[in-house]
Amino acid sequence: MTVRESGPARRSIWIWGALFLVAGAISGVEMVEQLRRASAGDAFAEILLKFSTLPRAAVALAAGAALGLSGAILQRVLRNPLAEPATLGISAGAQLALTAATIFAPAMLEYGREGVAFAGGIVAVSIVMLLTWRRGLEPVSLLLAGMMVSLVASSFSAALVLANGEYLYSIFIWGGGALAQQNWAPALSILVALILASAIALLLVRPLSILGLDDANARSLGVAPHVMRLGILAVAVGLATTVVAEVGIIGFVGLAGPALAGLSGARTLKQRLIAAPLIGAIVLWLADGVVVLAGGAAGERIPTGAATALFGAPLLLWLLFRLRLFEQPSFAERAASRRASRPWATVAGIAAFALSLLCFTLFLGRSPTGGWAWASGAAFHDLLPWRAPRVLIAAAAGAMLGGAGALVQRMTGNPMASPEMLGASSGAGAGLAVILLLSATPSPALQFFGLIIGALVALFVMIAVVSRGDFGPERLLLAGIAIGAVATAITTAVIATGTPQAFELLRWLGGSTHSATARDATIAISLAVMLLAPLAVCGRWLDVVSLGPVAAASLGLAMNRLRLLLVLLVGLLSATASVYIGPLSFAGLIAPHLARMFGLGPSGPYLYGSIAFGALVLVSADWLARVATFPYQLPVSLMASIIGGPFLVYLLSRGGRHNG
Amino acid sequence: MTATLPGPSRRALLQGALAVMAVPHARAGQPPARVAIIDWALLETALAIGLQPVGATELMQYRVNVIEPDLPAAITDIGLRGSLNFELLSALHPDLIVSSNFYEQQRGLLSRIAPVQTFNVYEPGRPPYPRAVEATSWLADLVQHDEAARRYIGETEREFADCRAALERRRIERAIVINLGDPRHFRAFGPDSMFGDVIGRLGVANAWPQASQYAAAAPVGLHKLVEIDDAYIIVVGPSPVGAARARSSNAIWNALPAVREGRVITLGAINHFGALPAARRFARELAHVLPDCCT
């Protein structure tokens, strides 16, 4: 993938210079006012200027530069124009480490805040690389793996806070970093990290450029590629995690810096390493200035970290369509090496197991005294109306996600694709966010309406965007990710405001089966049956699709129309499931893998097996959510991410034999 | 399907519950023996008048943030206030569930388990202290602990008088009550909050006369504290982790006129949305700290 260049570099320098002055002017308004009051004798204004306003500008510039440099290095080392600390899970990993330390070992935070964050970031990026190692760190897979690790890390953070009994503060996990300052310590800390990292990066410019060649040539030129890569990767991670430790998660600046640098005409590595931090600094300073201005005297409405995501997500969308995408040779899954001799019998067996697990979860739970209890007789009658609806909803949503996941993975040939990646469920969240902004206490019907409309809008935008091409898998995934990012930015911005509406959105995000009624369950099951019915005929189509476009056309299948229909179906399935359990769920990602692990190759059994596994996964997650931190219930999808994530890492790292 | 309740038939109980809800002070025969309480303000009130609830919410945090009155040993934690454990609540077989306007959304599900009685201590625009006193009488009436309630209200008035005297001795005429959220922001308590209302009744003018500014992310910038002139700053807990160390290196905080002149009173953790016990704890802590604080 390469980025098309636009315009001569000189013109870009003028533009960036102008933007720098604009950002300076916005910040300058407050500075000048405080200077005026300070010289008129207002001692406090002087303190504010020296210890709040100026450090804030310094932090904005330093953090922006640090993130820009980090992003530039990551993009070079991983050869991925979409890499940045937030998308690779580094920021989320750092935040998880900090959250865990806050709860379990607060003493560590007094002295080693940056160290704790660094440990979290390194572990996260290691997992991401481990996941995609066998695929040669292929860019789209790297992005998907990064998003997955981000999601698992954020879910873990939220779960830790909830298990500690603090419902109120779990909101901060999904928010963004804030740049308000009260002394110079954070600014200096980031500045030191930035200077060290820049020095190292500039010293290593030549070896880094050589890393752009393939490994054999690099070695022959005297560069040890792995050591070099890991070393410089650690530098990039250290930069990003220092920013997280000091100000929190700031998304997209690490992407904007290098991307805009490339677009502004920086071609060589050295030019990028210099331009990316400068542009990142200007972008963050500008964004912070706008946030402060928009907040006015009442204080900021949304933290800067959430605002940059809001500005940056459309940038990501725009970038994706300036990228010349070479359709990668489809990583069509190699057939499962172990094939079940009687696939339909296997499917029946899995379905039976899922059903018995469902019954099991109805009986086994925790007792009021904290021990375990097998409900029977009268106790069972009492508990059934509470347990049955939520278990059935989990099963219905899981089935829908399993089916959607199977479709998506077979359609795109990418084992890390999940139905959420098509953006419909994030779009549902954005729809709900808009409804909550318009009406303070919307009825459940209105909320449902908002969710569905949001999902449909996201789907249509994605289809419109992708239909200009040919619905190729990579384009589909990238478009879905970009639209999902825009929608998630909207949702995150609303959550970050901390109003009661934000909590309503947070409740949806985590999945709220705990207050399910029998009526909800009936509706969920009917919807699941209705939407999964078309899958009965999809089996044969999917088999033909995997033969490739030419063979498919010769067999009479209009490829584009088919892909369009499949995308619509997947979108509807994932959006409907998200109404009940929120947008973040692993069932759609794991279920197809489990189906394949059990040797279900041909599309029919594969689809049904995936549906059964999806139901099984979510029913288990629901049960664990009920019993793990009794009596505090964790949201279902949080639990699904927590158990699903590591399991998926295990599955994929064993990967080679089963699929790409 | 609901649990079969001991005692009167279900229909009689429902009729009784309707009657009680319609006429708050009517008695419905035997007082409910097993009471579950969702709202923390009402939980405090119940414990204060000697009621032993069978279940209440977020007890881990209660022990850290509310502290008094003490929780009985046999009480069961029924989950997070934002996501109640209905299954557990139902298994406790309560006779009565006490809730407030904050949990209106859960009312439908709760009424499947037991009759629900609600009382709103906090309503927009109304000072909460008189409502807290009414809540004490109301709850006492429900569970027939009227004598204990009267005694508690009387004790509260006496503690208020003590605190009023201590404040007069210190000549504190204006104060602002805040809670620190992070090193740069605080939450302000206006007259529509318990602390703001109580400080007024203790003879101190509230230096934050407008509505409270309270949110999960503390909304008011520290620099606003410059505008309070010669008022005292009363900092109410709980404080965030590492707050003590952060305060000493916080140039903005240390430059505030009130901080430089030693007009800061720091109290421990108190329930921000509490009832009479929280008000009493506030007054008592204040009276306790005043003689040794400030220059």
Side-chain angles (χ1 to χ4, degrees):
Chain A
M1 291 190 216
T2 62
V3 179
R4 253 179 272 141
E5 296 142 11
S6 77
R10 188 156 299 174
R11 190 174 53 177
S12 310
I13 295 182
W14 280 112
I15 296 178
W16 286 112
L19 283 173
F20 179 79
L21 290 173
V22 168
I26 296 178
S27 291
V29 164
E30 198 179 357
M31 284 187 217
V32 162
E33 172 63 25
Q34 282 170 352
L35 200 58
R36 192 187 59 79
R37 279 167 35 201
S39 53
D42 186 345
F44 195 73
E46 187 182 338
I47 299 279
L48 269 184
L49 181 67
K50 274 201 286 200
F51 291 103
S52 174
T53 318
L54 285 178
R56 183 172 184 145
V59 160
L61 289 168
L67 289 171
L69 182 59
S70 176
I73 295 176
L74 287 170
Q75 289 185 7
R76 164 55 60 150
V77 170
L78 298 172
R79 281 177 280 199
N80 186 335
L82 298 170
E84 71 131 346
T87 59
L88 289 183
I90 297 172
S91 310
Q95 187 187 52
L96 173 60
L98 288 169
T99 309
T102 311
I103 294 179
F104 299 116
M108 274 171 71
L109 287 180
E110 300 273 311
Y111 303 106
R113 212 177 157 82
E114 282 90 1
V116 170
F118 183 69
I122 281 285
V123 169
V125 86
S126 312
I127 295 177
V128 170
M129 289 182 51
L130 195 74
L131 281 175
T132 50
W133 196 257
R134 289 177 197 277
R135 295 169 72 86
L137 303 181
E138 183 257 329
V140 174
S141 299
L142 201 69
L143 200 61
L144 291 174
M147 288 177 65
M148 192 194 77
V149 168
S150 245
L151 179 56
V152 176
S154 305
S155 300
F156 256 115
S157 299
L160 279 178
V161 174
L162 285 172
N164 207 35
E166 294 192 70
Y167 186 77
L168 209 61
Y169 294 94
S170 62
I171 210 174
F172 290 121
I173 305 299
W174 308 105
L179 296 185
Q181 300 297 306
Q182 65 282 351
N183 55 35
W184 282 89
L188 288 174
S189 178
I190 299 178
L191 209 56
V192 164
L194 180 64
I195 292 174
L196 276 175
S198 310
I200 296 177
L202 286 175
L203 277 176
L204 293 178
V205 164
R206 197 158 288 174
L208 271 179
S209 323
I210 292 174
L211 272 184
L213 308 171
D214 68 284
D215 288 0
N217 283 333
R219 257 185 232 110
S220 72
L221 283 166
V223 170
H226 289 307
V227 170
M228 183 68 59
R229 270 208 195 101
L230 292 175
I232 197 80
L233 205 65
V235 170
V237 169
L239 261 180
T241 56
T242 306
V243 172
V244 172
E246 298 298 343
V247 295
I249 296 187
I250 304 206
F252 285 104
V253 174
L255 182 66
L260 293 172
L263 288 171
S264 306
R267 261 167 296 158
T268 68
L269 178 65
K270 187 163 181 181
Q271 286 173 345
R272 287 216 184 180
L273 286 182
I274 295 178
L278 291 173
I279 293 180
I282 296 174
V283 163
L284 187 56
W285 200 21
L286 197 56
D288 192 44
V290 169
V291 161
V292 171
L293 215 61
E300 295 130 40
R301 288 270 151 254
I302 49 173
T304 312
T308 54
L310 213 50
F311 302 150
L315 171 69
L316 181 62
L317 190 57
W318 182 68
L319 265 183
L320 281 173
F321 299 105
R322 294 185 56 92
L323 289 174
R324 243 179 272 137
L325 288 178
F326 295 111
E327 191 78 34
Q328 300 268 10
S330 152
F331 284 97
E333 306 140 10
R334 279 172 258 139
S337 58
R338 183 181 77 85
R339 277 210 170 215
S341 49
R342 288 186 331 194
W344 289 109
T346 317
V347 171
I350 298 168
F353 181 65
L355 210 60
S356 51
L357 188 73
L358 198 144
C359 296
F360 176 80
T361 61
L362 285 175
F363 283 95
L364 186 65
R366 297 281 284 265
S367 71
T369 52
W372 292 87
W374 182 269
S376 57
F380 182 70
H381 268 115
D382 293 343
L383 291 172
L384 194 64
W386 300 108
R387 287 185 180 168
R390 60 181 294 170
V391 168
L392 289 172
I393 287 181
M400 286 194 275
L401 286 174
L407 282 178
V408 151
Q409 288 198 1
R410 197 135 278 192
M411 235 171 38
T412 61
N414 193 321
M416 290 213 282
S418 79
E420 289 89 55
M421 305 297 180
L422 289 194
S425 38
S426 319
L432 181 60
V434 168
I435 291 281
L436 285 168
L437 281 177
L438 295 175
S439 143
T441 46
S443 63
L446 195 57
Q447 291 185 14
F448 189 84
F449 175 74
L451 286 165
I452 296 298
I453 294 292
L456 288 175
V457 166
L459 260 183
F460 283 137
V461 169
M462 193 199 61
I463 290 174
V465 149
V466 171
S467 61
R468 289 194 304 153
D470 65 345
F471 282 94
E474 208 168 67
R475 205 175 177 82
L476 202 65
L477 280 176
L478 287 175
I481 290 171
I483 292 175
V486 175
T488 307
I490 297 176
T491 323
T492 312
V494 173
I495 289 181
T497 59
T499 56
Q501 285 89 309
F503 281 97
E504 194 54 40
L505 203 50
L506 190 68
R507 205 183 56 92
W508 170 78
L509 200 78
S512 53
T513 49
H514 68 273
S515 53
T517 60
R519 204 182 65 132
D520 296 329
T522 329
I523 296 178
I525 295 187
S526 331
L527 282 173
V529 167
M530 227 168 53
L531 289 172
L532 285 173
L535 258 67
V537 300
C538 280
R540 198 161 291 177
W541 288 0
L542 279 184
D543 281 328
V544 178
V545 158
S546 58
L547 290 176
V550 174
S554 73
L555 283 166
L557 267 181
M559 198 64 156
N560 276 1
R561 203 176 313 157
L562 177 62
R563 276 177 166 160
L564 171 62
L565 282 173
L566 286 176
V567 163
L568 267 176
L569 190 57
V570 171
L572 282 175
L573 280 168
S574 80
T576 313
S578 78
V579 168
Y580 296 102
I581 57 160
L584 326 163
S585 167
F586 266 67
L589 189 49
I590 303 183
H593 284 275
L594 287 171
R596 220 185 345 271
M597 210 169 83
F598 276 69
L600 299 173
S603 293
Y606 176 67
L607 276 176
Y608 284 103
S610 192
I611 291 174
F613 270 120
L616 200 147
V617 165
L618 270 192
V619 164
S620 321
D622 179 76
W623 182 74
L624 282 171
R626 262 169 40 208
V627 303
T629 55
F630 192 79
Y632 301 141
Q633 297 173 102
L634 296 174
V636 176
S637 56
L638 238 56
M639 207 66 217
S641 307
I642 290 172
I643 53 172
F647 183 61
L648 193 68
V649 170
Y650 164 70
L651 270 184
L652 286 177
S653 59
R654 286 176 56 209
R657 285 175 297 129
H658 293 284
N659 55 17
Chain B
M1 274 190 273
T2 56
T4 48
L5 297 154
S9 76
R10 192 153 25 120
R11 175 173 294 186
L13 191 63
L14 279 170
Q15 282 176 343
L18 276 170
V20 173
M21 277 193 275
V23 183
H25 297 292
R27 294 183 181 247
Q30 252 198 322
R34 301 176 63 80
V35 182
I37 307 184
I38 316 290
D39 180 82
W40 267 5
L42 295 170
L43 173 63
E44 286 185 348
T45 309
L47 293 170
I49 61 176
L51 177 63
Q52 308 257 321
V54 296
T57 52
E58 282 185 45
L59 296 181
M60 271 171 71
Q61 284 299 307
Y62 182 96
R63 293 185 183 101
V64 171
N65 289 341
V66 181
I67 306 175
E68 69 172 76
D70 284 333
L71 291 167
I75 195 170
T76 307
D77 193 334
I78 54 176
L80 297 169
R81 286 174 286 176
S83 65
L84 296 167
N85 197 328
F86 292 105
E87 183 185 301
L88 176 55
L89 184 54
S90 154
L92 287 178
H93 300 300
D95 300 322
L96 176 66
I97 297 178
V98 175
S99 168
S100 74
N101 48 347
F102 290 142
Y103 308 100
E104 202 45 47
Q105 266 206 333
Q106 324 284 19
R107 199 199 182 94
L109 287 165
L110 288 171
S111 47
R112 282 165 52 181
I113 302 175
V116 179
Q117 294 279 9
T118 63
F119 192 95
N120 309 335
V121 175
Y122 289 91
E123 280 171 340
R126 297 179 69 171
Y129 180 76
R131 291 292 287 164
V133 175
E134 274 174 46
T136 317
S137 310
W138 171 82
L139 195 56
D141 197 59
L142 264 185
V143 298
Q144 293 172 20
H145 281 221
D146 304 279
E147 182 51 41
R150 273 193 287 274
R151 206 177 334 125
Y152 197 82
I153 295 174
E155 284 168 13
T156 310
E157 293 293 331
R158 275 194 291 282
E159 293 215 14
F160 272 27
D162 285 339
C163 189
R164 210 174 287 129
L167 285 164
E168 259 177 44
R169 272 197 296 274
R170 274 314 204 128
R171 283 200 269 276
I172 295 178
E173 284 160 22
R174 274 180 79 231
I176 185 175
V177 186
I178 67 171
N179 170 254
L180 294 173
D182 62 53
R184 277 292 272 127
H185 300 93
F186 66 91
R187 303 178 180 99
F189 295 101
D192 57 349
S193 70
M194 187 56 78
F195 301 140
D197 194 10
V198 166
I199 200 86
R201 288 163 201 277
L202 293 173
V204 176
N206 194 337
W208 185 271
Q210 60 264 44
S212 305
Q213 286 270 58
Y214 196 97
V220 191
L222 221 49
H223 57 275
K224 286 274 184 183
L225 286 172
V226 166
E227 298 161 14
I228 61 168
D229 295 328
D230 58 350
Y232 277 71
I233 299 178
I234 302 176
V235 181
V236 160
S239 294
V241 168
R245 187 181 78 101
R247 267 213 242 177
S248 57
S249 66
N250 189 336
I252 307 292
W253 174 262
N254 292 322
L256 290 170
V259 177
R260 269 183 313 165
E261 295 161 22
R263 283 184 275 121
V264 177
I265 304 166
T266 309
L267 304 177
I270 311 176
N271 188 356
H272 300 170
F273 287 93
L276 222 48
R280 210 173 138 176
R281 182 179 165 82
F282 179 66
R284 192 185 327 125
E285 288 252 318
L286 202 52
H288 183 72
V289 164
L290 274 173
D292 309 311
C293 90
C294 335
T295 43

